[in-house]
Amino acid sequence: MRALVQRVSEASVEVEGRIVGETGPGLLVLVCAMQDDDATAADKLAARVAKLRIFQDDRGKMNRSLLDVSGGALVVSQFTLAADTRTGNRPGFSAAAAPEDGRRLYETFAASLRGHGVAVETGVFGADMKLRLLNDGPVTIWLDSADRA
């Protein structure tokens, strides 16, 4: 699985003019399930996100995790993180998981993150969503479950 993690002061997601998820200080996590991903990949990625030390400590160093700062997370599915842009001008998305698998793994990821004690809100899988965020830093980190055993 892939995740693009953004440290935010606030973030919200809107579907058809209605806010369906929001968070205050914490993380906006854009998530994409890839072909051959499984629940283990979702759980490992959720643990990495919960423990990723990208919040400042008392000395101004990025040394605290989402758990340490009691921050929330807004988790939004985004299959475009699977984009293959190596050839041509139009990205390909064939590496993304099939929609039914993507939905299951997205939900597994969000549930696993909740299981770590994080307050999680979500977007609507497969919907046309509008995101608003106030990026804090800015701090944006790319994570891929395939990068770590």
Side-chain angles (χ1 to χ4, degrees):
M1 289 187 75
R2 292 181 177 169
L4 187 69
V5 178
Q6 296 182 302
R7 189 176 75 189
V8 297
S9 297
E10 61 185 57
S12 64
V13 60
E14 182 180 301
V15 176
E16 296 178 356
R18 185 176 64 89
I19 293 176
V20 297
E22 60 189 339
T23 189
L27 299 176
L28 169 61
V29 185
L30 305 175
V31 180
C32 177
M34 307 294 288
Q35 287 184 11
D36 299 324
D37 279 340
D38 58 16
T40 300
D43 290 340
K44 285 182 180 180
L45 188 61
R48 287 181 69 195
V49 168
K51 297 173 187 174
L52 188 64
R53 296 182 343 188
I54 60 172
F55 293 89
Q56 292 184 349
D57 64 15
D58 296 337
R59 295 173 298 170
K61 291 189 174 230
M62 288 197 302
N63 202 27
R64 300 183 78 202
S65 71
L66 187 61
L67 298 172
D68 295 330
V69 300
S70 300
L74 177 57
V75 177
V76 177
S77 62
Q78 188 167 356
F79 81 95
T80 60
L81 293 178
D84 181 353
T85 58
R86 292 177 289 182
T87 60
N89 294 317
R90 183 171 185 231
F93 302 103
S94 61
E100 58 276 3
D101 294 331
R103 177 187 303 271
R104 179 178 48 79
L105 292 168
Y106 165 71
E107 291 170 354
T108 298
F109 173 85
S112 184
L113 194 54
R114 281 186 191 102
H116 285 281
V118 176
V120 175
E121 294 206 16
T122 62
V124 177
F125 185 89
D128 181 23
M129 294 176 276
K130 307 296 183 212
L131 291 173
R132 288 187 176 84
L133 70 135
L134 183 55
N135 200 322
D136 179 17
V139 175
T140 303
I141 307 288
W142 172 267
L143 298 174
D144 192 318
S145 62
D147 290 344
R148 221 168 142 172

